[in-house]
Amino acid sequence: TAIIPQVIKANQVMYSGASNGAVREWVLAHNIKNIKFSGAMWEHSGWVNDMCPAHATPGTCSMHGVINHVCLLYTASDDRSILVWDTVTRKRLGRIQPPNQTCGTMRKMALSDRHLFVGSSNGIIYVYPFEKTCERPDRHECSLAAGPIRFCLQTQLRHNTDAITALKIGGKHHVMDKLFSGSMDGTIAVFQLEPYGYEFEHVWTIDSHKSSVTSIDMSWSHMYTASDDGCIRVWCLTTYCLQRVLHAGNRVKCLFIDEAHEDEETTNKAVEGTEKQDLTVEKEIPCGYLYCGLTNGYVQKWRIGQWM
């Protein structure tokens, strides 16, 4: 009976987060009638704002002995905590909380190769390492004889004072070298990610949307940002110049980009028109599609060219 703000997929399993704090797991099947509820992870005491699966292991994972497996699931909640779950046993492995009681609630997450980035309701992005390491110079819990603890807060990035509403890691040609942060005030902050250390410089601010930024996604050369102002803006990932504005006609809440592939509709029409004349058909130039979810219940589909 609760509101479901997000649904994600990992390991052929669907996870749904709810406003009552529950995270439910559903086993996917080829036939949608065979999708079954398999269990719940219910330790959050507030709205589940975001869910993020860990990176899949390139080989056999050490935790479960499965090839190309997502072992961990991160969930962010209004109860001011991030919970780390085992995707096989559905047991909680850890709890990440902000450094003090003045911090905001946990809203959005993004994963790089080395770090977990958590955006909060007070405009701050908290940075936690995956490995059991610590580079902080001050004296804290990791300075004890037991050594570094898991998920020790290393640094904080300031966007502004409004809530973080979108986080995305990426860059041109899908190089994961920048962190993009969307805010409730309509701005987008760009941070440069370094392979070593924690000097993540704030390199750019985009101020174009007239309302809250709700989603950020990227193709190989462009960034797409959605907003409650009913527009999707397309940006060049090299210059951060606005390339185009797509008017959706309603508030846009989520984006998904299906990268360039053959346009089946166009190719089929070409085949139908030429099958009687010549069996050799020239294939259409590959294209991609942009999908956006609106608050009126519709999903719009936009065709994007190969250079986008």
Side-chain angles (χ1 to χ4, degrees):
T1 58
I3 298 172
I4 300 176
Q6 190 184 28
V7 173
I8 64 170
K9 173 182 171 291
N11 298 333
Q12 299 303 314
V13 172
M14 180 180 71
Y15 296 95
S16 61
S19 58
N20 59 4
V23 178
R24 290 180 170 84
E25 179 183 297
W26 308 78
V27 178
L28 300 179
H30 180 71
N31 187 342
I32 60 174
K33 295 181 179 180
N34 295 330
I35 296 178
K36 296 181 180 179
F37 171 74
S38 58
M41 295 168 279
W42 205 333
E43 291 194 31
H44 281 299
S45 59
W47 193 298
V48 177
N49 293 315
D50 198 11
M51 298 184 295
C52 194
H55 298 304
T57 55
T60 303
C61 70
S62 58
M63 289 181 63
H64 309 108
V66 182
I67 299 175
N68 194 28
H69 187 248
V70 176
C71 299
L72 303 176
L73 176 70
Y74 303 90
T75 57
S77 172
D78 272 345
D79 62 8
R80 296 162 46 84
S81 69
I82 305 289
L83 296 185
V84 186
W85 304 91
D86 187 317
T87 56
V88 174
T89 64
R90 294 191 292 274
K91 292 183 178 180
R92 177 172 62 83
L93 302 180
R95 180 188 295 269
I96 307 171
Q97 291 182 303
N100 53 63
Q101 296 300 317
T102 63
C103 298
T105 57
M106 307 294 99
R107 295 299 180 88
K108 292 294 178 180
M109 295 182 292
L111 276 66
S112 70
D113 293 335
R114 298 194 302 140
H115 301 105
L116 168 68
F117 296 86
V118 181
S120 68
S121 60
N122 58 1
I124 295 177
I125 302 170
Y126 301 101
V127 184
Y128 301 91
F130 292 134
E131 300 296 331
K132 200 174 180 180
T133 59
C134 181
E135 298 182 27
R136 285 170 51 179
D138 62 310
R139 185 168 181 80
H140 61 289
E141 189 175 358
C142 292
S143 305
L144 300 176
I149 61 172
R150 191 83 184 271
F151 296 112
C152 176
L153 177 64
Q154 297 297 292
T155 187
Q156 302 178 19
L157 307 176
R158 167 67 73 174
H159 183 151
N160 52 24
T161 57
D162 292 313
I164 303 295
T165 53
L167 275 182
K168 184 73 174 181
I169 292 177
K172 191 168 184 179
H173 295 168
H174 297 300
V175 177
M176 312 292 279
D177 62 348
K178 290 180 176 63
L179 171 69
F180 299 86
S181 168
S183 174
M184 189 172 285
D185 67 355
T187 61
I188 300 167
V190 184
F191 298 90
Q192 180 68 44
L193 302 183
E194 302 296 341
Y196 304 99
Y198 290 91
E199 297 297 327
F200 301 145
E201 181 184 1
H202 182 186
V203 296
W204 203 269
T205 297
I206 300 173
D207 189 1
S208 179
H209 283 291
K210 298 177 181 178
S211 189
S212 174
V213 177
T214 55
S215 183
I216 301 174
D217 208 347
M218 296 173 197
S219 65
W220 71 278
S221 61
H222 290 78
M223 174 174 67
Y224 298 76
T225 59
S227 172
D228 278 336
D229 62 10
C231 295
I232 302 166
R233 284 171 164 78
V234 186
W235 309 87
C236 174
L237 280 173
T238 302
T239 62
Y240 302 115
C241 292
L242 182 63
Q243 304 291 295
R244 189 173 176 184
V245 179
L246 308 178
H247 298 277
N250 212 304
R251 288 186 295 163
V252 186
K253 288 298 183 182
C254 57
L255 295 176
F256 174 76
I257 293 178
D258 187 9
E259 288 279 17
H261 60 275
E262 291 182 11
D263 188 345
E264 294 180 2
E265 295 178 5
T266 310
T267 304
N268 290 338
K269 288 180 181 178
V271 172
E272 290 173 3
T274 57
E275 61 183 357
K276 295 181 180 179
Q277 304 171 7
D278 190 1
L279 295 177
T280 305
V281 179
E282 235 180 81
K283 292 185 178 180
E284 293 289 321
I285 297 174
C287 71
Y289 291 101
L290 169 68
Y291 299 86
C292 57
L294 310 181
T295 54
N296 61 1
Y298 284 86
V299 176
Q300 288 185 353
K301 179 181 179 182
W302 299 76
R303 186 176 185 272
I304 55 179
Q306 62 171 339
W307 302 112
M308 299 290 281

